[in-house]
DNA sequence: AAGGTAAATCGTAATCATTATTATTAGAAA
DNA sequence: TTTCTAATAATAATGATTACGATTTACCTT
């Protein structure tokens, strides 16, 4: 996902182009790490001192619902990052030091074909945590 | 994990036997679902109207650190349940309706033997969410 | 270009889960 | 029983997130 794609999706769904929205998206486009609402606010208040939490959270919710951002919960806080480009389902290794991620092409659900008959599976979560080569 | 085991561990580590502690453990022993701090408090305040959050959270932290309870994050809230009896590493299916769990004997890390060389893996999370046969 | 309208934002307060603080109570060892 | 210390109660503080009324802005229409 890049800036252009994101704006196409937003426009298609009737969302207006605002400078705040654009800067939030730019921050994600230039950062492969997972970021919190506070991370965003801290950076953005340099350019827009009046930026409020409401604006940040409202836009994050919009972006997630449109599939522009993906979200996960790390140590009790919601974290966001650009939706991956790769078109096939995958999971993530997340570095607990620098926050960078690495795609894991394997999905454990592939092995569980008939392991849960009678169960209705809605979704699943698989994440690996540790240190990336640079941080080790 | 059962009550007796839990108390053995607590005693071995110098923790005192109190009625609050015992009731918290009994609630977990009789409920296979994941519970929140609020779930516990709501039930326990019937017997102990003066029960406070501090007591609940402090004991939850103790129990988790001693391996009596296990913890996971579900929709932004910390949830707890008795540590499973099974001695070998596994994961969980969690019913989003009734909260009951089912053990999944497969671990995706088994498939990732040399998939992450140079990475230091600290831990991982694999959970499946959906509806159990009774709730479907 | 000007005006109208709904969306977006601001400023701030409220809420919810969790943690911290201080005084008091209660296990359990001597 | 006395004493020591862990455990608890009551309450306040914190931090993330959500809500709300007032204001501003994007953008559509004329």
């Amino acid at each position: 996902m890049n800036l252009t794609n994101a704006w196409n999706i937003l426009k298609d769904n009737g969302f207006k182009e605002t400078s705040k929205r654009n800067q939030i998206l730019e921050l994600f486009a230039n950062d492969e790490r997972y970021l919190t609402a506070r991370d965003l606010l801290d950076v953005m208040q340099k350019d827009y001192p009046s930026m409020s939490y409401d604006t940040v959270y409202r836009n994050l919710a919009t972006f997630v619902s449109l599939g522009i951002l993906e979200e996960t919960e790390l140590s009790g806080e919601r974290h966001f990052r650009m939706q991956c480009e790769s078109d096939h389902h995958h999971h993530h290794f997340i570095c607990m030091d620098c926050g960078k991620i690495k795609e894991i092409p394997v999905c454990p659900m592939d092995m569980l074909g008939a392991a849960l008959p009678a169960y209705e599976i809605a979704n699943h979560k698989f994440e690996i945590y540790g240190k990336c080569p640079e941080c080790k």
Side-chain angles (χ1 to χ4, degrees), chain A:
Chain A
M1 182 72 62
N2 58 37
L3 258 186
T4 310
N5 288 344
W7 274 119
N8 285 340
I9 295 172
L10 284 165
K11 287 300 179 67
D12 287 350
N13 290 92
F15 289 93
K16 296 178 179 172
E17 181 167 356
T18 70
S19 57
K20 313 295 169 65
R21 221 163 236 165
N22 197 53
Q23 193 180 9
I24 294 176
L25 289 172
E26 277 181 347
L27 285 175
F28 281 113
N30 296 321
D31 202 328
E32 58 175 313
R33 297 171 303 164
Y34 275 102
L35 303 175
T36 65
R38 167 165 292 279
D39 290 337
L40 290 177
L41 199 66
D42 286 348
V43 175
M44 300 191 52
Q45 284 191 332
K46 290 170 189 162
D47 289 359
Y48 302 96
S50 67
M51 171 68 85
S52 80
Y53 267 118
D54 186 77
T55 301
V56 172
Y57 278 107
R58 182 168 24 73
N59 281 303
L60 287 174
T62 299
F63 298 159
V64 169
S65 74
L66 294 175
I68 294 170
L69 296 183
E70 57 186 82
E71 177 182 0
T72 194
E73 190 106 26
L74 299 174
S75 56
E77 271 185 271
R78 294 165 72 191
H79 285 65
F80 304 84
R81 72 187 300 278
M82 269 298 187
Q83 190 72 250
C84 287
E85 300 275 353
S86 50
D87 48 354
H88 106 294
H89 178 69
H90 64 274
H91 294 279
H92 287 149
F93 169 94
I94 303 174
C95 178
M96 300 316 277
D97 272 18
C98 68
K100 289 214 196 79
I101 66 105
K102 175 178 169 54
E103 292 188 20
I104 307 291
V106 175
C107 177
M109 300 307 284
D110 295 343
M111 296 192 299
L112 298 177
L116 292 168
Y119 283 78
E120 179 180 316
I121 294 171
N123 57 335
H124 63 282
K125 178 168 186 169
F126 174 39
E127 282 177 347
I128 308 174
Y129 314 101
K131 288 188 184 181
C132 71
E134 291 78 45
C135 293
K136 206 169 77 174

